[in-house]
Amino acid sequence: MTTIAVLGNGRVGGSLAAALTRAGHEVTGADSTPGAAADAARTARIIINATPGAGSLDRLVALREELRGKILVDVSNATVDGPDGLPAHLIYPGSSLAEQLQEALPETRVVKTLNTMLFPVMTAPATLTQAPTAFLSGEDPQAKQTVRELLGDLGWRAEWISDLGGIRTARATEAAILFVPHVIRSGGFAPFAIALAR
């Protein structure tokens, strides 16, 4: 059992909190208000950022002390939405939200994952007709191993998890969000994930 704080109580945060609770972890959910987020992060070993990516950097930098020495799992994508509410472009082109977080929070171990799929797949990867891929990006091998184990608790098989390397690789997975509007417009809002075929 691990103590986990899930910041963000929308569809992504709510799904992750429920699934991790079912897996036996002690999970505290919090909305993105400063007081609630600080209280939840203070007592957790692992913090999951499921807040809207456009404001995540400011929200999390405000929690610098609460996040010190902890693992921050970033599942958000920082985008500006178009008129239809779907991602139109990246806020950090040539970089990534995960890189910005790691630079701003050097004493926090940031791991990027689960940001290349629609949210239902995060907690139920086996429901797809083909094997999906969960990518990992981060500087700390031990933190990535801990996150790999959490993914296992969410139903991700070991062979479905791909460690891309350091935090800089998150700019590639975050850019994959630009596929999403086109996939949704062409095929509807059905669960899907980007996957490696080997």
Side-chain angles (χ1 to χ4, degrees), residues 45-175:
R45 177 177 171 235
I46 297 172
I47 294 87
I48 297 177
N49 174 41
T51 66
S56 288
L57 184 60
D58 289 341
R59 288 187 194 97
L60 293 167
V61 168
L63 302 176
R64 182 186 309 276
E65 291 305 314
E66 290 82 0
L67 295 174
R68 190 185 304 276
K70 300 186 179 174
I71 297 172
L72 175 62
V73 183
D74 180 31
V75 304
S76 294
N77 289 303
T79 61
V80 174
D81 291 342
D84 59 0
L86 296 175
H89 62 266
L90 303 172
I91 291 178
Y92 305 110
S95 182
S96 65
L97 173 58
E99 287 174 87
Q100 298 294 314
L101 289 168
Q102 188 61 87
E103 183 177 352
L105 302 166
E107 296 181 76
T108 301
R109 296 176 289 167
V110 179
V111 179
K112 189 81 181 191
T113 194
L114 294 180
N115 63 309
T116 55
M117 61 201 69
L118 288 190
F119 79 93
V121 182
M122 295 178 177
T123 56
T127 59
L128 296 182
T129 57
Q130 300 173 43
T133 304
F135 299 98
L136 295 174
S137 299
E139 298 299 324
D140 188 285
Q142 186 177 19
K144 285 195 284 188
Q145 179 58 35
T146 298
V147 174
R148 184 183 289 270
E149 292 165 8
L150 275 187
L151 291 177
D153 291 340
L154 293 173
W156 289 86
R157 293 165 52 175
E159 63 269 26
W160 297 349
I161 303 170
S162 179
D163 186 343
L164 296 180
I167 200 69
R168 186 171 178 172
T169 63
R171 64 182 62 178
T173 61
E174 288 191 28

